[in-house]
Amino acid sequence: FAARGVTSALAARFAARLGAALERELSPVLLYEHPTPRALAEHLSAAETSGIPAQHRSRGETEPIAIVGMACRFPGAPDLAAYWQLLCQGVDAVGEASPARWAAEEFVSPDREAPGRMVTNRGGYLPDADVESFAHRFFGIAAREARRMDPQQRLLLELAFACMEDAGIPAAALRGTRTAVFAGVSSFDSGLRQLRNPADIDAYVGPGTAFSIVANRLSYCFDLRG
C-alpha cells in the first residue's frame, strides 16, 4: 500500500470505510499491520482468534484477568523467590552505592558540597552487574545502541523474557499475537547524563532514553501486536 502512495490519513479513512462495509471494528493502522492486499485479505478472512496459541484460547475467552507469569528484580532480591524471603524476613535492602556508581551520579547533585545541603550515597540499588551485563545480542540489539539505552529499558527486556519463562509461554509463541504491553517508568536520569555531553549524542540517544519508547521496545523485540 505504501508503494502505491497510501498515506497515513488515507489508510485510516480506508480502514474506517472498510470496517463500516464489513460491520466490523477495524484498527486505523490496519494497512500498516497488513501492508499488502494479500496480507489484508488473509487477515480479514481469518478467524478472530488467529495467531493466538490454541492452548490459550479457551481460557482467554472465559478469564477476564489471570496472572500467568511474574518476574522482578529489586535491591537485595534478584528474583521472585529472593524478594519473598526479603519481605518475610523484614530485610532492609537500603545500602551504600558502589564507588563507581557514586562517581557517575555527579550530575544529579552538582551542588553536593554546597553548605547546608545534606547528601547521602545510601539508597536502594541493584548490583552494578545487573544493569551493565546486558546480553544485547540475545535481543537483537547492536552494542552501540545498547550503550545508549536507559537501564530501565534493558531491565524491562530481561524481565519480560523471564516473565514469559515463568508463565511457560515461549517468546516465539507470542510473535504476531494480540499481546499488549503496558509499562511505567520512573526517572530520566540516564537521559540527563547523556545529554550533558553533546559530543556523545548520536542517533540512539533519543530512542534509548525516551519514555515513549519503553513499551514499544518490548513490542518490537518480541513482535507483539496488541
Short mmCIF file of all heavy atoms in Angstrom, two decimals, residues 1-2 4 14 18 24 30-46 50:
data_model
loop_
_atom_site.label_atom_id
_atom_site.label_comp_id
_atom_site.label_asym_id
_atom_site.label_seq_id
_atom_site.Cartn_x
_atom_site.Cartn_y
_atom_site.Cartn_z
N PHE A 1 0.82 -1.21 0.00
CA PHE A 1 0.00 0.00 0.00
C PHE A 1 0.86 1.26 0.00
O PHE A 1 0.55 2.23 -0.69
CB PHE A 1 -0.93 0.01 1.22
CG PHE A 1 -1.97 -1.08 1.17
CD1 PHE A 1 -1.94 -2.15 2.06
CD2 PHE A 1 -2.99 -1.05 0.22
CE1 PHE A 1 -2.90 -3.15 2.02
CE2 PHE A 1 -3.94 -2.05 0.16
CZ PHE A 1 -3.90 -3.11 1.06
N ALA A 2 1.94 1.25 0.79
CA ALA A 2 2.81 2.42 0.85
C ALA A 2 3.43 2.70 -0.50
O ALA A 2 3.57 3.86 -0.91
CB ALA A 2 3.89 2.21 1.90
N ARG A 4 2.12 2.33 -3.26
CA ARG A 4 1.09 2.90 -4.14
C ARG A 4 0.66 4.28 -3.68
O ARG A 4 -0.35 4.82 -4.12
CB ARG A 4 -0.13 1.97 -4.20
CG ARG A 4 0.17 0.59 -4.79
CD ARG A 4 0.58 0.69 -6.26
NE ARG A 4 0.72 -0.61 -6.86
CZ ARG A 4 1.83 -1.33 -6.88
NH1 ARG A 4 2.91 -0.87 -6.25
NH2 ARG A 4 1.88 -2.50 -7.47
N PHE A 14 -9.54 4.62 4.86
CA PHE A 14 -9.85 3.35 4.20
C PHE A 14 -10.29 2.30 5.23
O PHE A 14 -11.27 1.59 5.02
CB PHE A 14 -8.60 2.86 3.46
CG PHE A 14 -8.78 1.53 2.79
CD1 PHE A 14 -9.37 1.44 1.54
CD2 PHE A 14 -8.38 0.36 3.41
CE1 PHE A 14 -9.54 0.20 0.92
CE2 PHE A 14 -8.55 -0.87 2.81
CZ PHE A 14 -9.13 -0.95 1.56
N LEU A 18 -13.88 0.53 5.27
CA LEU A 18 -13.91 -0.92 5.14
C LEU A 18 -14.60 -1.56 6.35
O LEU A 18 -15.40 -2.49 6.20
CB LEU A 18 -12.47 -1.46 5.02
CG LEU A 18 -12.32 -2.96 4.79
CD1 LEU A 18 -13.00 -3.38 3.48
CD2 LEU A 18 -10.84 -3.34 4.75
N ARG A 24 -17.57 -4.38 11.02
CA ARG A 24 -16.56 -4.80 11.98
C ARG A 24 -15.75 -3.59 12.41
O ARG A 24 -15.57 -2.65 11.64
CB ARG A 24 -15.60 -5.84 11.36
CG ARG A 24 -16.21 -7.18 11.08
CD ARG A 24 -15.23 -8.08 10.34
NE ARG A 24 -13.97 -8.24 11.04
CZ ARG A 24 -12.96 -8.97 10.57
NH1 ARG A 24 -13.07 -9.57 9.40
NH2 ARG A 24 -11.84 -9.10 11.26
N LEU A 30 -4.60 -0.48 10.33
CA LEU A 30 -4.78 -1.78 9.71
C LEU A 30 -3.82 -2.01 8.54
O LEU A 30 -3.22 -3.07 8.40
CB LEU A 30 -6.22 -1.93 9.22
CG LEU A 30 -6.61 -3.25 8.55
CD1 LEU A 30 -6.63 -4.37 9.57
CD2 LEU A 30 -7.97 -3.12 7.88
N LEU A 31 -3.65 -0.99 7.69
CA LEU A 31 -2.82 -1.15 6.49
C LEU A 31 -1.33 -1.18 6.81
O LEU A 31 -0.54 -1.62 5.99
CB LEU A 31 -3.12 -0.05 5.48
CG LEU A 31 -4.54 0.03 4.94
CD1 LEU A 31 -4.61 0.95 3.73
CD2 LEU A 31 -5.09 -1.34 4.59
N TYR A 32 -0.97 -0.69 7.99
CA TYR A 32 0.42 -0.79 8.40
C TYR A 32 0.71 -2.17 9.00
O TYR A 32 1.81 -2.70 8.86
CB TYR A 32 0.77 0.31 9.40
CG TYR A 32 0.82 1.68 8.76
CD1 TYR A 32 -0.28 2.52 8.80
CD2 TYR A 32 1.97 2.11 8.11
CE1 TYR A 32 -0.24 3.77 8.19
CE2 TYR A 32 2.03 3.35 7.50
CZ TYR A 32 0.92 4.18 7.54
OH TYR A 32 0.96 5.42 6.94
N GLU A 33 -0.28 -2.72 9.68
CA GLU A 33 -0.11 -4.05 10.26
C GLU A 33 -0.17 -5.13 9.18
O GLU A 33 0.43 -6.21 9.32
CB GLU A 33 -1.20 -4.30 11.30
CG GLU A 33 -1.08 -3.37 12.50
CD GLU A 33 -2.25 -3.53 13.46
OE1 GLU A 33 -3.30 -4.05 13.04
OE2 GLU A 33 -2.11 -3.14 14.64
N HIS A 34 -0.91 -4.85 8.08
CA HIS A 34 -1.05 -5.80 6.97
C HIS A 34 -0.82 -5.01 5.68
O HIS A 34 -1.77 -4.59 5.02
CB HIS A 34 -2.44 -6.44 7.00
CG HIS A 34 -2.80 -6.98 8.35
ND1 HIS A 34 -2.32 -8.18 8.83
CD2 HIS A 34 -3.56 -6.44 9.34
CE1 HIS A 34 -2.79 -8.37 10.06
NE2 HIS A 34 -3.53 -7.34 10.39
N PRO A 35 0.46 -4.81 5.31
CA PRO A 35 0.81 -3.81 4.30
C PRO A 35 0.63 -4.20 2.85
O PRO A 35 0.94 -3.40 1.97
CB PRO A 35 2.30 -3.55 4.60
CG PRO A 35 2.78 -4.84 5.18
CD PRO A 35 1.63 -5.39 5.97
N THR A 36 0.10 -5.39 2.56
CA THR A 36 -0.16 -5.77 1.17
C THR A 36 -1.60 -6.23 1.03
O THR A 36 -2.22 -6.67 2.01
CB THR A 36 0.78 -6.91 0.73
OG1 THR A 36 0.44 -8.10 1.45
CG2 THR A 36 2.24 -6.56 0.99
N PRO A 37 -2.17 -6.18 -0.16
CA PRO A 37 -3.55 -6.65 -0.36
C PRO A 37 -3.73 -8.11 0.07
O PRO A 37 -4.74 -8.46 0.68
CB PRO A 37 -3.77 -6.48 -1.87
CG PRO A 37 -2.88 -5.34 -2.24
CD PRO A 37 -1.66 -5.51 -1.38
N ARG A 38 -2.75 -8.95 -0.24
CA ARG A 38 -2.88 -10.36 0.15
C ARG A 38 -2.90 -10.51 1.68
O ARG A 38 -3.72 -11.24 2.23
CB ARG A 38 -1.72 -11.18 -0.44
CG ARG A 38 -1.79 -12.66 -0.06
CD ARG A 38 -0.59 -13.42 -0.61
NE ARG A 38 -0.58 -13.44 -2.06
CZ ARG A 38 -1.27 -14.33 -2.77
NH1 ARG A 38 -2.00 -15.27 -2.17
NH2 ARG A 38 -1.24 -14.30 -4.09
N ALA A 39 -1.97 -9.80 2.35
CA ALA A 39 -1.92 -9.89 3.81
C ALA A 39 -3.21 -9.37 4.44
O ALA A 39 -3.72 -9.94 5.40
CB ALA A 39 -0.72 -9.10 4.34
N LEU A 40 -3.75 -8.30 3.87
CA LEU A 40 -5.00 -7.74 4.38
C LEU A 40 -6.16 -8.71 4.19
O LEU A 40 -6.96 -8.94 5.10
CB LEU A 40 -5.30 -6.41 3.69
CG LEU A 40 -6.60 -5.71 4.10
CD1 LEU A 40 -6.58 -5.38 5.58
CD2 LEU A 40 -6.82 -4.45 3.28
N ALA A 41 -6.23 -9.31 3.01
CA ALA A 41 -7.30 -10.27 2.72
C ALA A 41 -7.23 -11.48 3.64
O ALA A 41 -8.25 -11.94 4.17
CB ALA A 41 -7.24 -10.70 1.26
N GLU A 42 -6.02 -11.98 3.87
CA GLU A 42 -5.86 -13.14 4.74
C GLU A 42 -6.25 -12.78 6.17
O GLU A 42 -6.86 -13.58 6.88
CB GLU A 42 -4.42 -13.63 4.69
CG GLU A 42 -4.04 -14.27 3.36
CD GLU A 42 -2.57 -14.65 3.29
OE1 GLU A 42 -1.81 -14.25 4.22
OE2 GLU A 42 -2.19 -15.35 2.34
N HIS A 43 -5.91 -11.57 6.61
CA HIS A 43 -6.27 -11.14 7.96
C HIS A 43 -7.78 -11.04 8.12
O HIS A 43 -8.35 -11.52 9.10
CB HIS A 43 -5.62 -9.79 8.26
CG HIS A 43 -6.17 -9.14 9.49
ND1 HIS A 43 -5.90 -9.60 10.77
CD2 HIS A 43 -6.99 -8.05 9.64
CE1 HIS A 43 -6.52 -8.83 11.65
NE2 HIS A 43 -7.19 -7.89 11.00
N LEU A 44 -8.44 -10.44 7.14
CA LEU A 44 -9.88 -10.23 7.24
C LEU A 44 -10.67 -11.54 7.15
O LEU A 44 -11.76 -11.66 7.71
CB LEU A 44 -10.35 -9.26 6.15
CG LEU A 44 -9.82 -7.82 6.27
CD1 LEU A 44 -10.23 -7.01 5.06
CD2 LEU A 44 -10.31 -7.17 7.56
N SER A 45 -10.12 -12.49 6.45
CA SER A 45 -10.84 -13.76 6.28
C SER A 45 -10.54 -14.76 7.40
O SER A 45 -11.22 -15.77 7.53
CB SER A 45 -10.49 -14.39 4.93
OG SER A 45 -9.10 -14.69 4.87
N ALA A 46 -9.51 -14.45 8.20
CA ALA A 46 -9.14 -15.38 9.28
C ALA A 46 -10.11 -15.27 10.44
O ALA A 46 -10.83 -14.28 10.59
CB ALA A 46 -7.71 -15.08 9.74
N SER A 50 -7.19 -15.91 15.28
CA SER A 50 -5.99 -16.32 14.55
C SER A 50 -4.77 -15.70 15.18
O SER A 50 -4.77 -14.56 15.60
CB SER A 50 -6.09 -15.89 13.09
OG SER A 50 -6.13 -14.49 13.00
#
